[in-house]
């Protein structure tokens, strides 16, 4: 089975993606390969940030002979219509440097108070760099998107990030009220990973 590094420090993302790629590829976390530290994400697009995360890992492993077949990373943004598409690529630090998920939700609920247009979407871009004989290939990109609304208060305890205040279309519950396998089937990241899976199946 091919072995990939998922360039994230987010244990929730790791669990989601591991579940989706189970039986198809082996996924190594950064911790498992002994890489720690903050991965930079200073680009102004999701594509740019996902590429930056992959490149950060490649720079650290390229001189060591390893059996790794590829590195991938995702970057996600929450785009809210009434906020002109904000926070978008800046979703992680929406409420400021070193803010928590809770700080971000509080800021979102505040900015959205009284707004009647509550339409929003999550967009994920996955960057994949394949490696063969210690040589890296050009990056490939897989995008997923889910549309829904920003709720007026928190619902549910599952998931992470903005999950308690996002309700996807055709559902009557927030992402944080869903079992992980349901969220994975319909979410932005789930849809991007499905495209990655299609690619990996066609090319293995
Ligand atoms: P990242 O830069 O891809 O890690 O994500 C940017 C921000 O979006 C972070 O604050 C995450 O909490 C949030 N985010 C990413 N994915 C999800 C998700 O599946 N549900 C809720 N929030 C998410």
């Amino acid at each position: 089975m091919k072995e990939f590094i998922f360039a994230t420090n987010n244990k929730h993302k790791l669990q989601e993606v591991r579940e989706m790629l189970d039986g198809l590829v082996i996924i190594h976390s950064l911790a498992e390969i002994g890489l720690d530290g903050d991965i930079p994400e200073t680009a102004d697009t999701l594509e740019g940030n996902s590429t930056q995360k992959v490149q950060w890992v490649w720079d650290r492993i390229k001189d060591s002979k390893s059996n790794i077949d590829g590195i991938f990373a995702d970057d996600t943004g929450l785009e809210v219509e009434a906020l002109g598409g904000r926070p978008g690529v800046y979703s992680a630090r929406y409420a400021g440097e070193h803010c928590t998920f809770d700080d971000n939700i509080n800021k979102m609920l505040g900015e959205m108070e009284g707004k009647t247009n509550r339409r929003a979407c999550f967009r994920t871009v996955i960057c994949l760099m394949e490696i063969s004989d210690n040589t890296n290939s050009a990056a490939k990109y897989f995008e997923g998107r889910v549309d829904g609304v920003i709720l007026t208060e928190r619902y549910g305890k599952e998931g992470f990030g903005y999950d308690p205040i996002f309700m996807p279309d055709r559902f009557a519950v927030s992402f944080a009220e869903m079992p992980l396998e349901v969220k994975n089937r319909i979410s932005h990241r789930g849809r991007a990973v499905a495209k990655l899976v299609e690619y990996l199946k066609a090319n293995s």
Side-chain angles (χ1 to χ4, degrees), residues 26-170:
I26 295 168
I27 297 197
H28 299 285
S29 68
L30 293 180
E32 283 164 7
I33 59 162
L35 280 185
D36 57 12
D38 269 347
I39 313 181
E41 39 180 308
T42 54
D44 55 8
T45 61
L46 300 177
E47 287 78 4
N49 275 342
S50 60
T51 311
Q52 208 175 18
K53 293 174 190 179
V54 165
Q55 190 66 43
W56 185 87
V57 174
W58 173 240
D59 287 342
R60 279 155 187 78
I61 68 161
K62 65 184 173 196
D63 294 328
S64 61
K65 284 252 173 293
S66 72
N67 294 329
I68 295 299
D69 298 292
I71 307 164
F72 67 91
D74 83 314
D75 200 55
T76 296
L78 175 62
E79 299 171 358
V80 181
E81 268 188 25
L83 303 181
R86 282 190 301 119
V89 70
Y90 305 110
S91 296
R93 282 173 282 276
Y94 174 47
E97 208 58 40
H98 310 301
C99 64
T100 63
F101 291 151
D102 233 34
D103 297 334
N104 281 338
I105 289 183
N106 287 336
K107 178 163 180 185
M108 179 61 67
L109 291 176
E111 273 211 280
M112 289 299 285
E113 207 174 316
K115 296 258 194 296
T116 48
N117 177 6
R118 308 194 68 89
R119 301 289 308 157
C121 76
F122 273 113
R123 218 159 52 80
T124 290
V125 172
I126 292 177
C127 172
L128 170 70
M129 176 195 280
E130 291 170 284
I131 301 166
S132 176
D133 297 329
N134 255 40
T135 305
N136 61 325
S137 69
K140 294 185 181 64
Y141 297 92
F142 307 90
E143 185 175 331
R145 169 190 175 131
V146 61
D147 290 273
V149 292
I150 301 295
L151 298 165
T152 53
E153 56 183 286
R154 292 169 172 78
Y155 292 92
K157 298 265 177 253
E158 303 300 319
F160 70 99
Y162 299 90
D163 280 349
I165 58 165
F166 184 84
M167 183 169 73
D169 289 347
R170 292 179 292 283

